[in-house]
Amino acid sequence: QVQVVESGGGLVQYGGSLRLSCAASGRIFSINYMGWYRQAPGKQRELVAVIGNGGSPNYADSVKGRFTISRDNVKNTAYLQINSLKPEDTAIYYCNVHVAYDSGGNYFSYWGQGTQVTVSS
């Protein structure tokens, strides 16, 4: 009922930048939570950044000062601006959104398929 599509990943050199996008579509009344996670090879998926409906972001300590999350509520889209990339940022980046279908107050979690970010040294 809801599709989540990430884009913007790619191969970038150490110190470079990328802007990831996460677009949600389908049966959406509102989105209260939009988050970015990442999973490196052989490691567990970890939270990178989240932003609520009010717009207040939170970041993992490892990315503070380098990553910026934002959202466009009209487009149902979240963004992750990634600066000063390091090889340890290499991972698949996933988007997670919590969607309500109506005004009833129940939210459901949806994940995208991920976008690969590779940082070369």
Side-chain angles (χ1 to χ4, degrees):
Q1 291 180 319
V2 175
Q3 296 77 43
V4 178
V5 179
E6 302 99 333
S7 60
L11 174 64
V12 63
Q13 289 187 335
Y14 179 93
S17 298
L18 284 173
R19 188 191 193 210
L20 307 184
S21 298
C22 164
S25 62
R27 185 184 172 191
I28 299 173
F29 176 78
S30 68
I31 300 175
N32 68 345
Y33 171 99
M34 305 186 87
W36 285 96
Y37 295 72
R38 67 185 180 186
Q39 187 166 18
K43 295 187 177 181
Q44 289 188 333
R45 190 174 298 188
E46 63 174 357
L47 176 65
V48 173
V50 300
I51 186 166
N53 204 8
S56 297
N58 284 288
Y59 300 94
D61 289 341
S62 60
V63 307
K64 283 182 181 177
R66 299 189 298 123
F67 290 19
T68 302
I69 188 172
S70 61
R71 62 188 285 171
D72 183 328
N73 291 329
V74 174
K75 296 181 178 180
N76 290 329
T77 299
Y79 304 96
L80 188 68
Q81 178 67 41
I82 309 176
N83 298 325
S84 303
L85 276 158
K86 306 174 182 180
E88 51 263 43
D89 295 318
T90 295
I92 299 175
Y93 284 70
Y94 296 92
C95 181
N96 177 237
V97 299
H98 292 184
V99 173
Y101 304 137
D102 52 39
S103 60
N106 295 316
Y107 286 84
F108 301 88
S109 175
Y110 288 89
W111 290 88
Q113 82 291 346
T115 185
Q116 176 72 48
V117 172
T118 303
V119 184
S120 64
S121 56

